[in-house]
Amino acid sequence: MWDDSEGGADVMHRLFNCLAALMLVACVAMLGLWARSYWITDTLERADGSEIWESRHGRLMFEHFVPVSPWRLRWSVGQKTPMP
């Protein structure tokens, strides 16, 4: 694609290394969030309660109910409740 005499291969190697580092950081961040979910519950829901995304006990859960109002979001973070 690029002529090696112009340093094209070097640019491709640097680009690959930067993308690999970025993916490693994203992977570590996801692992951290997954581990955090065992101690902290995060909930994102519509104001009317029609859709709920919840992360707790290492799981991501989604619930959908029939909406009755326009989108309004509410975010809450709380301590873990015992698993039933």
Side-chain angles (χ1 to χ4, degrees):
M1 184 166 149
W2 285 321
D3 185 12
D4 284 338
S5 63
E6 295 179 17
D10 188 42
V11 170
M12 291 300 288
H13 286 130
R14 286 185 185 196
L15 178 62
F16 176 78
N17 287 340
C18 287
L19 290 174
L22 182 64
M23 293 306 295
L24 178 62
V25 168
C27 181
V28 169
M30 288 303 296
L31 286 173
L33 290 172
W34 173 66
R36 177 184 181 267
S37 74
Y38 280 94
W39 294 280
I40 302 293
T41 298
D42 291 311
T43 303
L44 178 64
E45 64 183 56
R46 288 181 62 164
D48 62 0
S50 64
E51 292 182 355
I52 300 171
W53 288 87
E54 189 171 72
S55 171
R56 66 180 166 133
H57 303 293
R59 295 188 175 116
L60 180 63
M61 293 172 274
F62 174 73
E63 295 180 29
H64 175 75
F65 306 97
V66 177
V68 293
S69 70
W71 271 96
R72 283 186 258 160
L73 297 175
R74 181 173 49 214
W75 179 267
S76 65
V77 176
Q79 294 297 323
K80 265 303 170 219
T81 56
M83 192 170 184

Short mmCIF file of all heavy atoms in Angstrom, two decimals, residues 30-66:
data_model
loop_
_atom_site.label_atom_id
_atom_site.label_comp_id
_atom_site.label_asym_id
_atom_site.label_seq_id
_atom_site.Cartn_x
_atom_site.Cartn_y
_atom_site.Cartn_z
N MET A 30 -13.71 -2.25 31.10
CA MET A 30 -14.90 -3.11 31.18
C MET A 30 -14.79 -4.13 32.31
O MET A 30 -15.76 -4.40 33.02
CB MET A 30 -15.13 -3.83 29.85
CG MET A 30 -15.61 -2.92 28.75
SD MET A 30 -17.14 -2.06 29.14
CE MET A 30 -18.26 -3.42 29.28
N LEU A 31 -13.60 -4.69 32.50
CA LEU A 31 -13.39 -5.63 33.61
C LEU A 31 -13.60 -4.93 34.96
O LEU A 31 -14.18 -5.50 35.87
CB LEU A 31 -12.01 -6.26 33.53
CG LEU A 31 -11.82 -7.30 32.44
CD1 LEU A 31 -10.35 -7.72 32.36
CD2 LEU A 31 -12.70 -8.51 32.70
N GLY A 32 -13.12 -3.70 35.05
CA GLY A 32 -13.30 -2.93 36.28
C GLY A 32 -14.77 -2.65 36.56
O GLY A 32 -15.24 -2.79 37.70
N LEU A 33 -15.53 -2.27 35.53
CA LEU A 33 -16.96 -2.02 35.72
C LEU A 33 -17.71 -3.30 36.07
O LEU A 33 -18.63 -3.29 36.88
CB LEU A 33 -17.54 -1.40 34.45
CG LEU A 33 -17.11 0.04 34.18
CD1 LEU A 33 -17.58 0.48 32.81
CD2 LEU A 33 -17.61 0.97 35.26
N TRP A 34 -17.31 -4.41 35.44
CA TRP A 34 -17.95 -5.69 35.74
C TRP A 34 -17.70 -6.08 37.20
O TRP A 34 -18.61 -6.48 37.92
CB TRP A 34 -17.42 -6.76 34.79
CG TRP A 34 -17.88 -8.14 35.10
CD1 TRP A 34 -19.15 -8.62 35.04
CD2 TRP A 34 -17.06 -9.22 35.55
NE1 TRP A 34 -19.17 -9.95 35.41
CE2 TRP A 34 -17.90 -10.34 35.72
CE3 TRP A 34 -15.71 -9.36 35.80
CZ2 TRP A 34 -17.42 -11.56 36.15
CZ3 TRP A 34 -15.23 -10.57 36.21
CH2 TRP A 34 -16.08 -11.66 36.39
N ALA A 35 -16.45 -5.95 37.66
CA ALA A 35 -16.13 -6.28 39.06
C ALA A 35 -16.86 -5.34 40.02
O ALA A 35 -17.36 -5.78 41.06
CB ALA A 35 -14.62 -6.20 39.27
N ARG A 36 -16.96 -4.06 39.66
CA ARG A 36 -17.64 -3.07 40.51
C ARG A 36 -19.11 -3.44 40.70
O ARG A 36 -19.69 -3.21 41.76
CB ARG A 36 -17.53 -1.70 39.85
CG ARG A 36 -18.25 -0.60 40.57
CD ARG A 36 -18.16 0.70 39.75
NE ARG A 36 -18.81 1.78 40.41
CZ ARG A 36 -20.08 2.14 40.21
NH1 ARG A 36 -20.83 1.45 39.38
NH2 ARG A 36 -20.59 3.14 40.86
N SER A 37 -19.70 -4.05 39.67
CA SER A 37 -21.13 -4.36 39.75
C SER A 37 -21.46 -5.40 40.81
O SER A 37 -22.62 -5.59 41.15
CB SER A 37 -21.65 -4.83 38.38
OG SER A 37 -21.21 -6.14 38.10
N TYR A 38 -20.46 -6.09 41.34
CA TYR A 38 -20.72 -7.04 42.42
C TYR A 38 -20.96 -6.35 43.76
O TYR A 38 -21.53 -6.92 44.67
CB TYR A 38 -19.57 -8.04 42.55
CG TYR A 38 -19.65 -9.14 41.53
CD1 TYR A 38 -18.98 -9.05 40.33
CD2 TYR A 38 -20.44 -10.27 41.76
CE1 TYR A 38 -19.07 -10.06 39.38
CE2 TYR A 38 -20.54 -11.27 40.82
CZ TYR A 38 -19.84 -11.16 39.64
OH TYR A 38 -19.95 -12.16 38.70
N TRP A 39 -20.51 -5.08 43.88
CA TRP A 39 -20.67 -4.34 45.14
C TRP A 39 -21.61 -3.16 45.03
O TRP A 39 -22.19 -2.73 46.01
CB TRP A 39 -19.31 -3.86 45.65
CG TRP A 39 -18.42 -4.98 46.03
CD1 TRP A 39 -18.46 -5.68 47.20
CD2 TRP A 39 -17.41 -5.58 45.24
NE1 TRP A 39 -17.51 -6.67 47.18
CE2 TRP A 39 -16.84 -6.64 45.99
CE3 TRP A 39 -16.89 -5.34 43.97
CZ2 TRP A 39 -15.81 -7.42 45.51
CZ3 TRP A 39 -15.86 -6.13 43.48
CH2 TRP A 39 -15.34 -7.15 44.26
N ILE A 40 -21.75 -2.59 43.85
CA ILE A 40 -22.55 -1.39 43.64
C ILE A 40 -23.62 -1.67 42.59
O ILE A 40 -23.35 -2.27 41.57
CB ILE A 40 -21.67 -0.20 43.16
CG1 ILE A 40 -20.55 0.08 44.16
CG2 ILE A 40 -22.50 1.04 42.89
CD1 ILE A 40 -21.01 0.60 45.49
N THR A 41 -24.84 -1.21 42.82
CA THR A 41 -25.92 -1.34 41.85
C THR A 41 -26.08 -0.02 41.10
O THR A 41 -26.18 1.04 41.73
CB THR A 41 -27.25 -1.67 42.56
OG1 THR A 41 -27.12 -2.92 43.22
CG2 THR A 41 -28.40 -1.74 41.57
N ASP A 42 -26.08 -0.07 39.78
CA ASP A 42 -26.34 1.09 38.93
C ASP A 42 -27.66 0.86 38.23
O ASP A 42 -27.90 -0.22 37.67
CB ASP A 42 -25.24 1.28 37.88
CG ASP A 42 -23.92 1.69 38.49
OD1 ASP A 42 -23.93 2.62 39.29
OD2 ASP A 42 -22.90 1.10 38.13
N THR A 43 -28.52 1.87 38.24
CA THR A 43 -29.83 1.76 37.59
C THR A 43 -30.05 2.98 36.71
O THR A 43 -29.84 4.11 37.14
CB THR A 43 -30.95 1.69 38.64
OG1 THR A 43 -30.69 0.59 39.51
CG2 THR A 43 -32.30 1.51 37.99
N LEU A 44 -30.48 2.74 35.48
CA LEU A 44 -30.87 3.80 34.55
C LEU A 44 -32.29 3.47 34.11
O LEU A 44 -32.54 2.38 33.58
CB LEU A 44 -29.92 3.83 33.34
CG LEU A 44 -30.23 4.85 32.26
CD1 LEU A 44 -30.10 6.26 32.83
CD2 LEU A 44 -29.31 4.66 31.08
N GLU A 45 -33.21 4.40 34.38
CA GLU A 45 -34.60 4.12 34.02
C GLU A 45 -35.29 5.37 33.53
O GLU A 45 -34.88 6.50 33.82
CB GLU A 45 -35.36 3.54 35.20
CG GLU A 45 -35.48 4.47 36.38
CD GLU A 45 -36.18 3.81 37.55
OE1 GLU A 45 -35.72 2.76 38.01
OE2 GLU A 45 -37.20 4.38 38.00
N ARG A 46 -36.35 5.15 32.75
CA ARG A 46 -37.17 6.27 32.32
C ARG A 46 -37.96 6.79 33.52
O ARG A 46 -38.24 6.06 34.46
CB ARG A 46 -38.13 5.81 31.22
CG ARG A 46 -37.41 5.55 29.92
CD ARG A 46 -38.36 5.12 28.85
NE ARG A 46 -39.33 6.17 28.58
CZ ARG A 46 -40.09 6.20 27.50
NH1 ARG A 46 -40.01 5.21 26.63
NH2 ARG A 46 -40.94 7.16 27.30
N ALA A 47 -38.33 8.06 33.47
CA ALA A 47 -39.05 8.67 34.58
C ALA A 47 -40.38 7.97 34.85
O ALA A 47 -40.83 7.90 35.98
CB ALA A 47 -39.28 10.15 34.32
N ASP A 48 -41.01 7.44 33.79
CA ASP A 48 -42.29 6.75 33.99
C ASP A 48 -42.10 5.28 34.36
O ASP A 48 -43.07 4.56 34.55
CB ASP A 48 -43.16 6.87 32.75
CG ASP A 48 -42.54 6.22 31.52
OD1 ASP A 48 -41.43 5.66 31.62
OD2 ASP A 48 -43.18 6.27 30.45
N GLY A 49 -40.85 4.83 34.45
CA GLY A 49 -40.57 3.46 34.85
C GLY A 49 -40.81 2.42 33.77
O GLY A 49 -40.83 1.23 34.05
N SER A 50 -40.97 2.86 32.50
CA SER A 50 -41.30 1.90 31.43
C SER A 50 -40.09 1.10 30.96
O SER A 50 -40.27 0.02 30.40
CB SER A 50 -41.94 2.63 30.25
OG SER A 50 -41.02 3.53 29.68
N GLU A 51 -38.89 1.61 31.12
CA GLU A 51 -37.68 0.87 30.75
C GLU A 51 -36.64 1.01 31.86
O GLU A 51 -36.41 2.10 32.35
CB GLU A 51 -37.10 1.37 29.43
CG GLU A 51 -38.00 1.05 28.25
CD GLU A 51 -37.42 1.51 26.94
OE1 GLU A 51 -36.36 2.15 26.94
OE2 GLU A 51 -38.03 1.21 25.90
N ILE A 52 -36.04 -0.09 32.21
CA ILE A 52 -35.04 -0.09 33.29
C ILE A 52 -33.83 -0.89 32.84
O ILE A 52 -33.96 -2.03 32.40
CB ILE A 52 -35.62 -0.71 34.58
CG1 ILE A 52 -36.84 0.08 35.06
CG2 ILE A 52 -34.54 -0.78 35.66
CD1 ILE A 52 -37.58 -0.58 36.20
N TRP A 53 -32.65 -0.28 32.93
CA TRP A 53 -31.37 -0.97 32.75
C TRP A 53 -30.73 -1.02 34.13
O TRP A 53 -30.61 0.00 34.80
CB TRP A 53 -30.46 -0.19 31.81
CG TRP A 53 -30.88 -0.22 30.38
CD1 TRP A 53 -31.75 0.63 29.78
CD2 TRP A 53 -30.44 -1.14 29.39
NE1 TRP A 53 -31.89 0.29 28.46
CE2 TRP A 53 -31.09 -0.80 28.20
CE3 TRP A 53 -29.57 -2.23 29.39
CZ2 TRP A 53 -30.89 -1.49 27.02
CZ3 TRP A 53 -29.38 -2.91 28.21
CH2 TRP A 53 -30.03 -2.55 27.04
N GLU A 54 -30.32 -2.20 34.55
CA GLU A 54 -29.73 -2.33 35.88
C GLU A 54 -28.52 -3.25 35.82
O GLU A 54 -28.54 -4.28 35.17
CB GLU A 54 -30.76 -2.89 36.85
CG GLU A 54 -30.31 -2.87 38.28
CD GLU A 54 -31.44 -3.21 39.21
OE1 GLU A 54 -31.84 -4.39 39.25
OE2 GLU A 54 -31.91 -2.29 39.90
N SER A 55 -27.47 -2.83 36.49
CA SER A 55 -26.26 -3.63 36.59
C SER A 55 -26.05 -3.98 38.05
O SER A 55 -25.87 -3.10 38.89
CB SER A 55 -25.06 -2.84 36.07
OG SER A 55 -23.86 -3.52 36.35
N ARG A 56 -26.12 -5.28 38.37
CA ARG A 56 -25.88 -5.72 39.75
C ARG A 56 -25.53 -7.20 39.75
O ARG A 56 -25.94 -7.95 38.86
CB ARG A 56 -27.07 -5.44 40.65
CG ARG A 56 -28.30 -6.23 40.32
CD ARG A 56 -29.42 -5.87 41.29
NE ARG A 56 -30.66 -6.37 40.76
CZ ARG A 56 -31.53 -7.04 41.47
NH1 ARG A 56 -31.32 -7.28 42.73
NH2 ARG A 56 -32.63 -7.48 40.92
N HIS A 57 -24.79 -7.59 40.74
CA HIS A 57 -24.36 -8.98 40.92
C HIS A 57 -23.69 -9.54 39.66
O HIS A 57 -23.88 -10.71 39.32
CB HIS A 57 -25.54 -9.88 41.32
CG HIS A 57 -26.24 -9.43 42.56
ND1 HIS A 57 -25.65 -9.46 43.79
CD2 HIS A 57 -27.49 -8.93 42.75
CE1 HIS A 57 -26.49 -9.00 44.69
NE2 HIS A 57 -27.61 -8.67 44.08
N GLY A 58 -22.94 -8.68 38.94
CA GLY A 58 -22.22 -9.14 37.74
C GLY A 58 -23.08 -9.33 36.52
O GLY A 58 -22.64 -9.89 35.54
N ARG A 59 -24.32 -8.84 36.54
CA ARG A 59 -25.23 -9.03 35.41
C ARG A 59 -25.79 -7.68 34.96
O ARG A 59 -25.99 -6.78 35.77
CB ARG A 59 -26.39 -9.93 35.81
CG ARG A 59 -25.95 -11.33 36.13
CD ARG A 59 -27.16 -12.21 36.32
NE ARG A 59 -26.71 -13.59 36.50
CZ ARG A 59 -26.90 -14.28 37.60
NH1 ARG A 59 -27.53 -13.74 38.61
NH2 ARG A 59 -26.46 -15.51 37.69
N LEU A 60 -26.07 -7.57 33.67
CA LEU A 60 -26.76 -6.42 33.12
C LEU A 60 -28.17 -6.86 32.78
O LEU A 60 -28.37 -7.82 32.03
CB LEU A 60 -26.05 -5.91 31.86
CG LEU A 60 -26.66 -4.69 31.18
CD1 LEU A 60 -26.61 -3.49 32.11
CD2 LEU A 60 -25.95 -4.40 29.89
N MET A 61 -29.15 -6.18 33.36
CA MET A 61 -30.55 -6.57 33.16
C MET A 61 -31.32 -5.43 32.49
O MET A 61 -31.04 -4.26 32.73
CB MET A 61 -31.19 -6.90 34.49
CG MET A 61 -30.60 -8.14 35.12
SD MET A 61 -31.18 -8.39 36.79
CE MET A 61 -30.01 -7.38 37.66
N PHE A 62 -32.27 -5.79 31.64
CA PHE A 62 -33.12 -4.83 30.96
C PHE A 62 -34.57 -5.25 31.12
O PHE A 62 -34.91 -6.42 30.93
CB PHE A 62 -32.76 -4.75 29.47
CG PHE A 62 -33.69 -3.88 28.68
CD1 PHE A 62 -33.63 -2.51 28.81
CD2 PHE A 62 -34.62 -4.44 27.83
CE1 PHE A 62 -34.49 -1.69 28.09
CE2 PHE A 62 -35.48 -3.64 27.10
CZ PHE A 62 -35.41 -2.26 27.23
N GLU A 63 -35.42 -4.30 31.50
CA GLU A 63 -36.85 -4.56 31.61
C GLU A 63 -37.57 -3.50 30.79
O GLU A 63 -37.19 -2.33 30.80
CB GLU A 63 -37.32 -4.48 33.06
CG GLU A 63 -36.74 -5.54 33.95
CD GLU A 63 -37.23 -5.43 35.38
OE1 GLU A 63 -38.36 -4.94 35.59
OE2 GLU A 63 -36.48 -5.82 36.27
N HIS A 64 -38.61 -3.91 30.06
CA HIS A 64 -39.38 -2.97 29.25
C HIS A 64 -40.86 -3.13 29.57
O HIS A 64 -41.39 -4.24 29.63
CB HIS A 64 -39.15 -3.24 27.77
CG HIS A 64 -39.99 -2.40 26.88
ND1 HIS A 64 -39.73 -1.07 26.67
CD2 HIS A 64 -41.11 -2.68 26.17
CE1 HIS A 64 -40.65 -0.58 25.85
NE2 HIS A 64 -41.50 -1.54 25.54
N PHE A 65 -41.52 -1.99 29.79
CA PHE A 65 -42.96 -1.95 30.03
C PHE A 65 -43.56 -1.00 29.01
O PHE A 65 -42.85 -0.23 28.38
CB PHE A 65 -43.26 -1.46 31.46
CG PHE A 65 -42.54 -2.25 32.50
CD1 PHE A 65 -41.35 -1.80 33.04
CD2 PHE A 65 -43.05 -3.46 32.95
CE1 PHE A 65 -40.67 -2.53 34.00
CE2 PHE A 65 -42.39 -4.20 33.91
CZ PHE A 65 -41.20 -3.74 34.43
N VAL A 66 -44.85 -0.98 28.85
CA VAL A 66 -45.50 -0.10 27.88
C VAL A 66 -45.31 1.35 28.32
O VAL A 66 -45.71 1.72 29.43
CB VAL A 66 -47.00 -0.43 27.77
CG1 VAL A 66 -47.69 0.53 26.82
CG2 VAL A 66 -47.20 -1.87 27.35
#
